[in-house]
């Protein structure tokens, strides 16, 4: 079982280089950078998890590609994941360049997690088609894959269009870094993952839900003639003890991603994961020393 970590690095937390070194030294497989470019000062929606104000951390997250570049420069083997990159908030040509440069310079360590976000008023700041974010995202992915695979490409979609262009440096991974979709396991999402992605990031889903989604994903892959084993499942968790690893592995998961931001530093019963997650995101930023202590405890209990 692969074990990674997600953590919102901000100007108030442990820095990217210190965290990257600690993760690699402890034997974690990957780091996943979340993304929110901006947060409205007076958002029109409430925070979905509480119905209250959106936590400040959503407006404090570092740019994922800058962060991952710093982290990649001080590590050798740690996989560098976006968890997730909000594709509608990027121009596909600039995004293609950022991903391919990071993958090239890091020696092929990028895991390109993608999604669309949950704040439409922010999405509208970047694209006119805010009501169809997945259409824009899937066209962008198709266009970027052509550029990464061939080095030159044109694209003529409904929302994404450009003439024949060169995009260099090329990614080290061929034909492109793994594309991993973050989404709830609806039937439509399962079809998108099977058709367009190399993996799925699941958040807030227990072993039973993962088993159901794995079965649905396997059926869809077989329906379109794809090997189901070519699609990895990564699951956000609060702990990665051997028993938790076995539960999720038996359910069909390939990777656990421990959510480290304001982690309490001790084992968290699975039934309390949602509560602990909300507490962590709505609390003040964690001190660097507290984050590193929690990471060491997670490492020890995971048996890495």
């Amino acid at each position: 079982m692969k074990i990674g970590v997600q953590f919102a690095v901000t100007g108030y937390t442990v820095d990217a280089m210190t965290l990257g070194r600690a993760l690699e030294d402890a034997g974690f497989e990957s780091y996943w950078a979340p993304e929110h470019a901006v947060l409205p000062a007076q958002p029109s929606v409430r925070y979905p998890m509480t119905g209250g104000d959106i936590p400040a951390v959503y407006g404090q997250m570092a740019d994922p590609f800058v962060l991952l570049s710093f982290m990649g420069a001080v590590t050798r083997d740690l996989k560098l994941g976006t968890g997730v990159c909000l594709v509608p908030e990027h121009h596909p040509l600039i995004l293609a360049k950022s991903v391919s440069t990071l993958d090239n310079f890091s020696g092929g360590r990028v895991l390109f997690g993608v999604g669309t976000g949950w704040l439409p008023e922010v999405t509208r700041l970047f694209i006119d088609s805010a009501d169809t974010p997945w259409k824009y995202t899937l066209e962008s992915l198709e266009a970027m894959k052509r550029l990464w695979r061939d080095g030159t490409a044109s694209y003529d979609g409904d929302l994404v269009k450009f003439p024949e262009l060169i995009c260099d440096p090329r990614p080290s991974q061929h034909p492109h870094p793994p594309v991993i979709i973050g989404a709830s396991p609806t039937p439509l999402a399962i079809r998108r993952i099977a058709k367009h992605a190399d993996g799925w990031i699941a958040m807030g889903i227990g072993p039973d839900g993962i088993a159901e989604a794995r079965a649905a994903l396997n059926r869809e892959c077989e329906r379109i003639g794809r090997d189901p084993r070519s699609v990895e499942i990564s699951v956000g968790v609060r702990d990665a003890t051997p028993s938790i690893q076995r539960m999720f592995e038996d359910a069909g998961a390939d990777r656990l991603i421990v959510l480290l931001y304001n982690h309490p530093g001790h084992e968290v019963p699975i039934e309390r994961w949602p509560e602990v997650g909300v507490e962590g995101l709505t609390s003040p930023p964690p001190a660097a020393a507290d984050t590193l202590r929690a990471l060491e405890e997670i490492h020890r209990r995971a048996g890495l």
Side-chain angles (χ1 to χ4, degrees):
M1 173 70 74
K2 301 171 185 176
I3 302 178
V5 166
Q6 186 204 62
F7 181 84
V9 174
T10 76
Y12 311 101
T13 67
V14 65
D15 65 272
M17 292 182 291
T18 299
L19 180 59
R21 291 189 187 102
L23 289 168
E24 183 151 277
D25 290 347
F28 288 96
E29 176 257 356
S30 53
Y31 166 75
W32 300 77
E35 178 179 36
H36 280 272
V38 293
L39 176 65
Q42 297 179 327
S44 63
V45 301
R46 311 302 287 171
Y47 187 45
M49 295 178 69
T50 65
D53 293 337
I54 299 173
V57 66
Y58 284 92
Q60 299 168 349
M61 295 176 185
D63 178 274
F65 295 103
V66 175
L67 189 166
L68 293 172
S69 296
F70 272 80
M71 194 171 283
V74 297
T75 57
R76 295 180 57 187
D77 301 309
L78 186 72
K79 298 288 188 181
L80 308 171
T82 51
V84 293
C85 172
L86 303 183
V87 174
E89 299 181 12
H90 298 266
H91 192 287
L93 296 176
I94 300 298
L95 188 54
K97 175 73 82 170
S98 296
V99 173
S100 62
T101 301
L102 180 61
D103 195 63
N104 185 292
F105 285 17
S106 69
R109 290 191 275 152
V110 171
L111 300 170
F112 188 37
V114 301
T116 60
W118 50 270
L119 271 172
E121 63 191 298
V122 173
T123 307
R124 292 189 191 99
L125 299 174
F126 296 92
I127 59 172
D128 296 330
S129 51
D131 294 334
T132 55
W134 273 109
K135 182 176 179 61
Y136 180 89
T137 296
L138 295 176
E139 286 192 8
S140 294
L141 287 173
E142 185 178 18
M144 289 188 289
K145 286 178 181 179
R146 292 183 188 180
L147 287 167
W148 294 331
R149 183 191 64 208
D150 301 330
T152 62
S154 61
Y155 194 81
D156 187 21
D158 294 329
L159 303 177
V160 175
K161 299 175 185 288
F162 54 84
E164 191 78 15
L165 298 171
I166 298 169
C167 186
D168 218 345
R170 304 271 295 282
S172 291
Q173 298 181 85
H174 186 77
H176 53 75
V179 173
I180 306 170
I181 287 178
S184 298
T186 63
L188 179 56
I190 292 294
R191 292 195 295 272
R192 287 172 177 155
I193 294 162
K195 182 177 180 180
H196 298 284
D198 304 291
W200 170 47
I201 299 175
M203 292 291 174
I205 301 175
D208 290 345
I210 294 298
E212 292 175 5
R214 170 55 86 181
L217 186 55
N218 289 354
R219 290 192 297 270
E220 181 62 19
C221 285
E222 290 165 357
R223 187 187 71 81
I224 65 174
R226 181 177 183 182
D227 182 355
R229 294 172 297 180
S230 66
V231 182
E232 283 192 335
I233 293 180
S234 303
V235 186
V237 296
R238 298 288 165 187
D239 260 307
T241 61
S243 62
I244 290 172
Q245 293 179 46
R246 286 192 296 272
M247 279 194 300
F248 280 99
E249 188 170 26
D250 290 345
D254 303 281
R255 175 187 292 110
L256 300 183
I257 302 175
V258 182
L259 308 176
L260 181 62
Y261 192 84
N262 266 326
H263 194 286
H266 54 72
E267 188 167 350
V268 180
I270 195 167
E271 62 271 14
R272 291 196 63 233
W273 285 3
E275 171 192 346
V276 169
V278 170
E279 289 176 359
L281 289 170
T282 55
S283 296
D290 292 338
T291 296
L292 296 176
R293 279 194 293 270
L295 183 66
E296 178 55 33
E297 281 300 301
I298 293 165
H299 161 260
R300 181 183 63 81
R301 291 196 305 276
L304 291 174

